[in-house]
Every structure is written in C-alpha cells, then in structure tokens.
Amino acid sequence: MINASFWKNKRVFLTGHTGFKGAWLSLWLTKMGAKVTGYALAPSTHPNLYELARLDDLVDSYIADINDSEKLKNALYDANPEIVIHMAAQPLVGISYKDPVMTFQTNVQGTVNLLEAVRYAIERGRKIQAVVNVTTDKCYENKEWLWGYREIDPLGGKDPYSASKACSELVTAAYRHSFFHPNQINDHGVVLASARAGNVIGGGDWSQDRLIPQCLEAIVNQNEIKLRRPNAVRPWQHVLEPLSGYLLLIQKIYEGKETYADAWNFGPEYNDCRSVGEVVNQLIEMCGTDIKVEAFPDIPYQESDLLMLDCSKAKSILGWQPLWNLTNALQYIVEWHMAYQKNENMRDITVEQINQYMSGLAVRDVQNE
C-alpha cells in the first residue's frame, strides 16, 4: 500500500514527533527518504522510543509547545513543508480528568494553532499540499453500539479527552469549509483531512495508564496485573496499521486532491475488537509466564464498555487494509520488548519491524524462538 518512492525527499512537518506514534512515524518517514521536521514537547516518559531510536540524528527537531502559536507559525514557515501531519496532543483519558483545562487547550486550541500556522505559511507563498489532523476513535458519541462507528456518525465525548478530540474534529471541519474548501483548491493548494484510529499498541510505549505498558512492566517484575475494566471491548491495532493509513491517505491526496478532503477511520477488523481481559491473557501466554490477573476494585473515572470502528470507507476508497491481526501485533510487541531487555539497538529493531510490515512477511513465532 505504501509507495516508498513517493516519500523520497518529501518535506514533512510532523507535530508530536517525540511521542510513541510520532517516533514510529518519524522512523518510517526518514527510512523512506522524507525530510522530517518535528515539533513537540520533550518526551514525557523515560525510557522513550524517541531517545532509544536516536531520532535527533534523523529529524530536524523543535522542542516546543503546540500552544506557543508564534513559535509554531515560525517553525512551520521555516520548514517549508509540502505535507503537515498533526499528532501533538494530550493523549490520555486519565490525565484529562486531572487536568481538563490543559487537555482542551492542547487538543482544541492546539489544532487551531496548527491550522493558523498553515494559513500563515500559504499566505506567504509556501506550497503545502496535504494536512492531516490525527484524532481518535473516541471522538464519536459512544452509544455502546454492537457495530462500528462511521465517519458520518455524530461526534461527542463524556470525558474531557474524548470531548476535546471531538472538538478538534469540528475545528478541522470548520477550517476545511471556511479556509481550505475543496472547491477552491486551486486558490490555496491545501487538502485538509482528519484520521481517526483505534487503540494503538506497539513496542516502545511507556505511556501512563496504558494497558500494554502496564502489563509488560508487571510481567518483567513478576507483579500482579490489575485491570480496571477487564470486560471492556476495544479496537486493538499495531501502531503501524493507522500510520499506514495516514501515509496512504496523503499519497491519495496527491493523486486525487479534493476527493480526500474528509474524515477517515483506520481501525482493525471486527474480530480484533477484543476485551481487555482477552488481550492480557494472550499477552501473558506469549510471554510464557503465569502472572495473576485481578479486576481493579476502584475505577477512578468513567470509561465506555464497547467501542468499534467501521473502516469501510478507507477500504473501498483508499484501498487500505489492516495487515496484522491482534495476535501478530502482540507477537511483535513481545519481540520488541525482548530485544529491549537485551539492550539491543532499538532503532534497528524498530526499522526491521517496519520493513517486515511493508514487505508483508509472516510473523515469527516468538514463543518458539
């Protein structure tokens, strides 16, 4: 699906490049020859993939706040990008309860700041072709349906994080219709789209309150795993799956322009929408351990029990398909963290997994190695 030659020498401005998804995307883009300028806060965890992969050697990096609108405008203008991918965000539901003001400021006003920076650049002669705002599956008004949400379904959010991402989508739609309308593409040259992904997992994630990092830490330390909602069903996907969707969407924008100025879902097949308990038990089995799992008695904030995405639009119009199922994803995560425990070169390990994804190679049986 991904054409590496398309990305050679493309100038990409990527916000959030120091985060988990951003670091994976930075490695993928630079591997294909893209010239990446990153704009983000310093990594929020230690360890982190950004430092382990030595991305400072590969990316022209601005360590700065998305809420600093003047610095952002100047950085984007100076980078002179053809493509802008907005991934900088406050990404955690738990933190959104503790600091809702910062969450809305970053996720909503940060989106406004980014789109204003794009306007500032094109008004001064920069030729930006594609802008993709990355949000989340949690932007939908979740009614606990037994079917997946489509891009035309209502947006909403009962917690500050989900609501902020729904707002980010509304901001994107407003800017698309007000300033980057597809019918006027010859005037401004910009195609503005948004991308909504499911629960992303992969090697190198140490984020607070995320399931896989917590389980791996417990397995390494032989501690009990405590789950908040073991029966909650989520759309699990390896980090490379939605990233491939963003890359393919941008490639298609270059081919068809205004056709793709819209919102797009990138999630797993329905049979990979599994309960938290199922995922944890499968991960424990792959690691060959016998860790005790218990439900956590005190849930600090409200969470939904069921959430799935309908990705028919991306499949039929973009030709996008998820390549790895949940078992594949968990196997690659175990493989990645085994390499990390052995102090191997994590840039090489991460790039090799990208290579395997791009070539469609079968997953090795980690349990039997």
Side-chain angles (χ1 to χ4, degrees):
M1 293 185 293
I2 305 306
N3 179 5
S5 62
F6 167 87
W7 291 95
K8 187 173 178 60
N9 294 320
K10 285 290 190 298
R11 300 184 306 278
V12 180
F13 189 85
L14 172 63
T15 71
H17 69 295
T18 61
F20 164 57
K21 286 177 70 175
W24 274 91
L25 184 54
S26 296
L27 273 176
W28 196 346
L29 287 168
T30 54
K31 168 190 159 15
M32 294 188 293
K35 309 299 182 184
V36 179
T37 299
Y39 186 101
L41 295 174
S44 60
T45 66
H46 296 281
N48 59 81
L49 179 56
Y50 179 80
E51 293 175 339
L52 287 172
R54 308 184 309 283
L55 277 164
D56 265 344
D57 299 340
L58 304 175
V59 174
D60 186 5
S61 181
Y62 288 85
I63 301 301
D65 195 333
I66 198 74
N67 293 306
D68 188 336
S69 59
E70 288 303 311
K71 185 173 287 187
L72 177 60
K73 282 181 183 179
N74 293 329
L76 192 147
Y77 178 82
D78 291 344
N80 189 20
E82 303 161 76
I83 295 162
V84 176
I85 306 173
H86 179 44
M87 295 176 65
Q90 192 296 94
L92 300 173
V93 174
I95 290 178
S96 79
Y97 277 95
K98 296 174 184 176
D99 198 340
V101 174
M102 181 272 288
T103 299
F104 280 103
Q105 178 70 32
T106 300
N107 294 351
V108 185
Q109 187 60 43
T111 302
V112 173
N113 292 343
L114 184 280
L115 295 175
E116 281 296 302
V118 170
R119 291 184 67 206
Y120 176 88
I122 63 174
E123 286 169 0
R124 286 156 180 79
R126 298 308 197 206
K127 304 298 183 183
I128 298 172
Q129 300 294 309
V131 180
V132 175
N133 178 27
V134 175
T135 63
T136 174
D137 58 349
K138 293 180 178 64
C139 69
Y140 290 105
E141 181 184 352
N142 192 352
K143 300 178 180 179
E144 308 283 338
W145 284 335
L146 294 174
W147 52 88
Y149 291 91
R150 300 169 299 169
E151 291 86 347
I152 59 174
D153 287 325
L155 302 174
K158 296 179 181 178
D159 60 84
Y161 169 74
S162 301
S164 74
K165 285 299 196 176
C167 289
S168 179
E169 284 282 352
L170 291 173
V171 166
T172 304
Y175 268 75
R176 179 164 53 240
H177 288 284
S178 300
F179 307 114
F180 308 121
H181 197 283
N183 292 342
Q184 300 170 327
I185 195 167
N186 291 330
D187 298 330
H188 52 68
V190 178
V191 173
L192 175 58
S194 63
R196 305 162 182 177
N199 273 36
V200 174
I201 57 178
D205 186 8
W206 283 277
S207 300
Q208 179 183 340
D209 290 339
R210 285 221 177 108
L211 178 67
I212 302 299
Q214 287 184 332
C215 290
L216 289 170
E217 182 180 2
I219 289 169
V220 169
N221 296 318
Q222 292 294 292
N223 292 331
E224 179 181 83
I225 296 175
K226 295 183 178 181
L227 303 179
R228 292 193 304 270
R229 302 179 79 89
N231 296 320
V233 174
R234 297 287 185 270
W236 308 97
Q237 58 188 157
H238 192 276
V239 62
L240 292 176
E241 299 286 10
L243 296 185
S244 74
Y246 312 158
L247 296 176
L248 182 60
L249 172 59
I250 292 166
Q251 290 177 195
K252 292 293 185 179
I253 285 172
Y254 268 70
E255 294 175 9
K257 292 294 183 181
E258 65 274 6
T259 303
Y260 304 100
D262 208 345
W264 302 86
N265 285 345
F266 298 103
E269 304 291 1
Y270 283 142
N271 58 4
D272 281 324
C273 296
R274 308 277 188 85
S275 73
V276 168
E278 288 180 278
V279 172
V280 171
N281 289 333
Q282 190 171 354
L283 185 63
I284 290 171
E285 182 180 351
M286 286 181 178
C287 291
T289 187
D290 189 22
I291 298 293
K292 187 177 181 181
V293 179
E294 287 191 359
F296 193 70
D298 181 24
I299 300 174
Y301 49 81
Q302 184 181 15
E303 290 182 296
S304 60
D305 287 318
L306 180 62
L307 179 60
M308 296 185 292
L309 288 175
D310 183 330
C311 301
S312 301
K313 179 179 169 183
K315 291 177 180 179
S316 61
I317 298 178
L318 300 180
W320 177 83
Q321 289 282 345
L323 299 183
W324 289 350
N325 61 27
L326 178 59
T327 298
N328 298 155
L330 292 176
Q331 286 178 323
Y332 274 113
I333 291 170
V334 170
E335 181 182 79
W336 196 99
H337 279 275
M338 287 172 62
Y340 171 72
Q341 293 296 323
K342 296 175 183 176
N343 294 314
E344 295 185 23
N345 184 318
M346 298 317 298
R347 181 198 284 181
D348 291 348
I349 295 297
T350 307
V351 168
E352 177 56 26
Q353 291 197 349
I354 293 171
N355 289 338
Q356 292 183 25
Y357 182 87
M358 291 186 71
S359 64
L361 290 178
V363 177
R364 294 194 296 274
D365 188 349
V366 177
Q367 298 176 80
N368 295 331
E369 288 189 345

